[in-house]
Structures are given as C-alpha cells and as structure tokens.
Amino acid sequence: MFIAKRLGQKAYNRNATALYRAIIGGNCKVYSLYLRPFYVTDELFEAGAQAAVISPSAYLKDPNYRFEMQLVKAMRWSGPVIGLGHPGEALGIGRILTNEDDWKSAAAKLAEMATYIICIPSSRPGTLWEIDYLLHGGFIRKTTFVMPATPPQGLFRRKPFALKDDWARLVIEARNRGVFFPDYQNENLLFCLGPEHSLRTEKFNLTSYRSLRNGIRRLTKKMDV
C-alpha cells in the first residue's frame, strides 16, 4: 500500500509537470494553485480515531488525516491541485520542480492562470513575496487563505512547531501592507479578504474533505458577489 501511494504520487507529479508545460505553452488548463511555506510540508495533519479492533491491514494505513491529501480530494470538482517544490517530498499535491532563479516567475505564471489559489500564509520571505504578488496582481479575489490548527506533537519532532510564532509575525507584516489577517486561533479556518478590510471566514474539519471543499466553495461564491 505504501508503494502504491508513492507510485500514485509520482503520477501526480508527472501530471503537474505536464500541466505546467501546457500553461507555459499557452494552453490554459483548469487547476488550483497551492502556496505555502516549506516548513509546513507534510507536517499538517490530524490524528484519526483508533479502531477498537486492530487488524494486520490497519498497520498499513496512515491513521492520520493529512491536509494535502484532503485538499486534493476536496478540489477534485475543480481539477488538479499543483504547487512548487520537490517531487516526492510529500503525498498529496503534485509538485513542480524549480530552482532559485525561476521560482518567482513560475509562481507568478501559475497564479495568473489558476482558477483557485489556496494559500497558507507566512512571514517567511518567499511566502510574503507571493502574498504581495497576489495583492498587487489583483488575484486576491480568487485566493482562499488557510489557518491550520497546530498538528499533534510528532514522535520525531524534536522542536516546537513554528506555526503560532510565525503567524504572529505574519499579522504584523500584513498590517504593514494594509491587510488585516486574523490572529492565530489554533483551529482550522479558511478566510478570504474582501473590500475595505472585510474578512469572510469558514471553519473546516480536517477529517472531512467535504468540509474543506464546502468551505472553499462558500467563500469563493461570496467573493464573486
């Protein structure tokens, strides 16, 4: 099962690369763009309920609900979800490999042509550049921001997860740009930025990809009004 998932992820990555080439070639496709700071890669999850009876096959399954996997399922109605990064670094979003010299131009092109943009904001320089581009490029109307809950303490995580502190710095950076992000609440929250500093929010349950999908749909519909 593990090998099958890895092979499936390779297919996602190949499809993402093919899609990117088509976009660069002027053949617009329907897709969603996923933007995030790299430190959250494969770190956002919620522990699943333990089964009362443990069967041998249960040990082959990931007991956790992972954000990227749930996002891929949630956005099936609108096409694939792609993002920049290293193929194989996580299961879920199809990755497009870029280097330090061309990642900004790739992100800009993908943001321009994407139907939906899902962004986990951050105070990290790379993500701040992406947020600035979304703001100044007029793409904020099709952007849904995600406030993820802090994941459970992992067995191999030796230092505290940086999300809460990063978010506090993000709020300050956003205000310096005339944008007002909500303070961190340690819960799964979707939000969109509206006119005159308005903010629309939707809570979602990570154990249900339908909850995530419906939240994005409702926010997107409101932003189109």
Side-chain angles (χ1 to χ4, degrees):
M1 188 175 296
F2 175 81
I3 294 173
K5 286 183 177 180
R6 287 293 176 182
L7 290 175
Q9 185 61 40
K10 285 186 177 181
Y12 280 163
N13 295 332
R14 286 196 301 269
N15 291 340
T17 301
L19 178 60
Y20 179 60
R21 289 172 180 168
I23 295 166
I24 295 299
N27 299 315
C28 184
K29 304 289 184 179
V30 176
Y31 65 93
S32 297
L33 175 62
Y34 175 56
L35 303 174
R36 87 290 181 200
F38 287 122
Y39 77 87
V40 304
T41 299
D42 206 29
E43 293 285 352
L44 300 177
F45 66 93
E46 183 174 330
Q50 295 293 331
V53 179
I54 301 297
S55 64
S57 62
Y59 291 99
L60 298 175
K61 300 178 181 179
D62 188 343
N64 302 313
Y65 294 91
R66 299 192 176 275
F67 178 78
E68 284 199 27
M69 296 294 294
Q70 296 295 77
L71 182 60
V72 168
K73 295 177 183 178
M75 299 302 291
R76 282 175 180 168
W77 59 279
S78 64
V81 185
I82 62 175
L84 303 180
H86 297 281
E89 66 185 359
L91 295 176
I93 310 299
R95 296 300 203 272
I96 298 168
L97 181 63
T98 58
N99 55 46
E100 290 295 326
D101 296 326
D102 61 12
W103 75 268
K104 288 184 179 180
S105 61
K109 185 66 174 180
L110 290 171
E112 177 185 352
M113 304 304 295
T115 304
Y116 301 97
I117 300 173
I118 297 93
C119 176
I120 298 178
S122 167
S123 67
R124 302 291 174 91
T127 313
L128 284 177
W129 181 90
E130 293 169 340
I131 294 173
D132 287 337
Y133 185 80
L134 296 178
L135 289 169
H136 299 306
F139 306 122
I140 208 69
R141 288 184 58 83
K142 60 180 179 181
T143 301
T144 300
F145 292 98
V146 182
M147 175 192 292
T150 300
Q153 185 70 31
L155 179 63
F156 300 103
R157 186 180 297 138
R158 299 180 179 179
K159 58 182 180 180
F161 198 51
L163 182 58
K164 183 178 180 179
D165 292 338
D166 181 24
W167 198 279
R169 293 189 293 269
L170 166 69
V171 170
I172 296 173
E173 292 284 355
R175 287 177 181 171
N176 292 338
R177 291 162 167 78
V179 179
F180 296 88
F181 281 177
D183 292 328
Y184 189 68
Q185 304 169 37
N186 194 20
E187 61 180 350
N188 291 316
L189 189 72
L190 303 172
F191 63 94
C192 287
L193 304 178
E196 300 180 357
H197 309 305
S198 61
L199 191 71
R200 296 184 175 93
T201 63
E202 288 276 351
K203 293 183 180 181
F204 70 93
N205 181 357
L206 190 56
T207 65
S208 169
Y209 70 85
R210 291 182 178 85
S211 171
L212 183 57
R213 177 184 63 197
N214 292 337
I216 294 173
R217 272 180 164 173
R218 283 192 289 265
L219 287 176
T220 304
K221 183 177 181 180
K222 290 177 181 178
M223 292 303 293
D224 288 338
V225 174

